[in-house]
Amino acid sequence: MRLLPLPPAISRGFADLDVWTGCRGVPLGAITLLTGPSTSGKLAVAYKTLAAAQQDGRHPVALRDLTHSTDPDYLARCGVDLAHLLLVRPGPETQIDTLVLDLV
């Protein structure tokens, strides 16, 4: 039996979770959906993944804030460098994304 190589990935920031899912993190070049009940830690995993992606400086990081509820303080506490985060929020009337660059 020949195993295929794992795709390049970015750690989720939680080593045990990366091992458990079998792909060492979030695969690069793929859309990853985080699902689960309320208060299950989805936001913490997402923010820690953003922080891990910023660590080596090779990966641009953007966050699409569909609910307009992103908390810059919580992002920073999860290790996200706000100065190097592109925050995108969809406009309610126009359905056009608005770039938000003044988190810091």
Side-chain angles (χ1 to χ4, degrees):
M1 177 181 188
R2 184 171 176 215
L3 297 176
L4 295 174
L6 293 174
I10 296 173
S11 170
R12 290 178 182 87
F14 299 94
D16 289 343
L17 182 58
D18 290 342
V19 170
W20 182 76
T21 57
C23 65
R24 299 183 330 266
V26 176
L28 290 175
I31 295 174
T32 300
L33 176 64
L34 299 174
T35 64
S38 184
T39 71
S40 64
K42 298 179 301 286
L43 195 59
V45 170
Y47 288 0
K48 289 286 201 171
T49 303
L50 291 175
Q54 287 180 327
Q55 291 301 313
D56 64 9
R58 293 184 307 148
H59 307 290
V61 174
L63 174 63
R64 189 164 185 201
D65 181 14
L66 299 175
T67 61
H68 295 242
S69 60
T70 297
D71 179 358
D73 181 57
Y74 187 54
L75 274 167
R77 284 185 283 131
C78 286
V80 176
D81 180 357
L82 299 179
H84 293 96
L85 173 70
L86 176 62
L87 179 63
V88 181
R89 289 185 170 153
E93 296 86 21
T94 62
Q95 298 300 313
I96 297 174
D97 288 341
T98 303
L99 302 181
V100 179
L101 301 174
D102 59 352
L103 272 179
V104 181

